[in-house]
Amino acid sequence: MTMNNQILGVIFDLDGVIVSTDNCHYLAWKRMADEEGIEFDRTVNERLRGVSRMESLAIILERATKAYTEDEKQEMAARKNAYYVELIGSLTADDILPGAMNVLTLLKEKGVKVAIGSSSRNTPIILKQIGLSDAFDAVADGNAIKNSKPDPEVFLLAAKLLNLSPANCLVVEDADAGIEAALAGGMRCLGVGSASQNPSATFTAADLAKADMQSILG
Ligand code: BG6
Ligand code: MG
């Protein structure tokens, strides 16, 4: 690897990479879908990884038996979010995923910058709950972007906030939409969790605890 593409920054997705909020998202959507009588299961839930709240709702509504107005859709998304915020209120540092803290420590020791690149508008609440509000050099989240993954906007913003070129950044993702976004933004990516099966990912590992960061960093 030449110095030109040395990894100088790592951009982490939040949900499913740093913290196990996945089940909270699932339970909140499930509660809303059950109330509306819309069929929703964990298979459909997999398609919601990395995509925005309204796009997630659109995927859930593919199985709806009636049409909803724009106002009704806004209300359903707000209702799901209220259920979700209630659930993430009990997150603690114990919900940080295996390996995440060790990897953050290693990167800090090596002088590699770290950022969050998440579609979630709840990113600030979640980071506070798990005690990582000050752990990142930059945070790019759903509040700052127009286009959600697979669009690369959130990762390009994170790279910009780190003052790095995309070629010097590595993205860590658990969602296929996030792998696509990283590659579209000209970044290498490490797929973990569901995305560890993604053949397009530059590197893969079951989770951050199993990732060989030393060799990925080169
Ligand atoms: C992503 C999740 O991190 O954030 C998605 O993987 C979720 O499932 C998206 O839809 C938006 O989250 P929020 O918290 O803004 O509703
Ligand atoms: Mg994720």
Side-chain angles (χ1 to χ4, degrees):
M1 193 185 293
T2 68
M3 287 306 280
N4 286 344
N5 67 355
Q6 192 185 347
I7 295 170
L8 303 175
V10 178
I11 304 169
F12 295 87
D13 171 52
L14 181 65
D15 295 314
V17 170
I18 297 289
V19 61
S20 58
T21 45
D22 312 50
N23 203 43
C24 300
H25 274 297
Y26 170 74
L27 292 172
W29 280 125
K30 179 72 180 150
R31 184 169 165 193
M32 193 284 297
D34 283 352
E35 285 167 356
E36 295 297 323
I38 302 167
E39 214 183 292
F40 176 66
D41 57 23
R42 288 187 187 269
T43 311
V44 177
N45 190 57
E46 280 300 307
R47 293 174 55 205
L48 313 185
R49 278 183 198 279
V51 306
S52 72
R53 198 178 304 166
M54 290 312 287
E55 285 164 320
S56 297
L57 178 65
I59 292 170
I60 290 169
L61 292 183
E62 286 171 10
R63 296 190 177 187
T65 49
K66 62 167 257 201
Y68 291 90
T69 65
E70 201 43 50
D71 282 356
E72 286 169 333
K73 288 181 192 172
Q74 293 293 340
E75 183 282 322
M76 288 156 89
R79 192 176 353 140
K80 178 269 176 175
N81 193 53
Y83 297 155
Y84 180 66
V85 168
E86 196 179 307
L87 291 169
I88 60 175
S90 35
L91 288 178
T92 68
D94 289 343
D95 297 293
I96 295 173
L97 285 163
M101 291 313 296
N102 286 346
V103 167
L104 287 173
T105 305
L106 173 79
L107 295 172
K108 193 146 267 180
E109 278 167 14
K110 290 191 150 258
V112 175
K113 292 183 187 170
V114 290
I116 288 288
S118 168
S119 303
S120 175
R121 294 167 73 179
N122 291 299
T123 295
I125 307 180
I126 295 168
L127 289 177
K128 187 155 181 255
Q129 283 291 140
I130 61 176
L132 294 185
S133 292
D134 298 321
F136 297 90
D137 300 301
V139 174
D141 68 23
N143 298 296
I145 53 159
K146 276 201 0 231
N147 307 298
S148 167
K149 301 166 192 177
D151 189 285
E153 187 178 348
V154 79
F155 294 140
L156 292 174
L157 174 62
K160 191 174 161 199
L161 293 172
L162 290 179
N163 230 346
L164 293 176
S165 109
N168 296 116
C169 293
L170 171 78
V171 164
V172 187
E173 257 296 345
D174 72 312
D176 291 337
I179 298 291
E180 202 181 322
L183 297 173
M187 304 179 196
R188 281 161 287 172
C189 53
L190 164 62
V192 295
S194 308
S196 64
Q197 308 299 318
N198 189 314
S200 305
T202 325
F203 310 99
T204 56
D207 59 27
L208 278 173
K210 304 228 170 58
D212 185 356
M213 285 310 286
Q214 295 278 10
S215 75
I216 290 173
L217 293 174

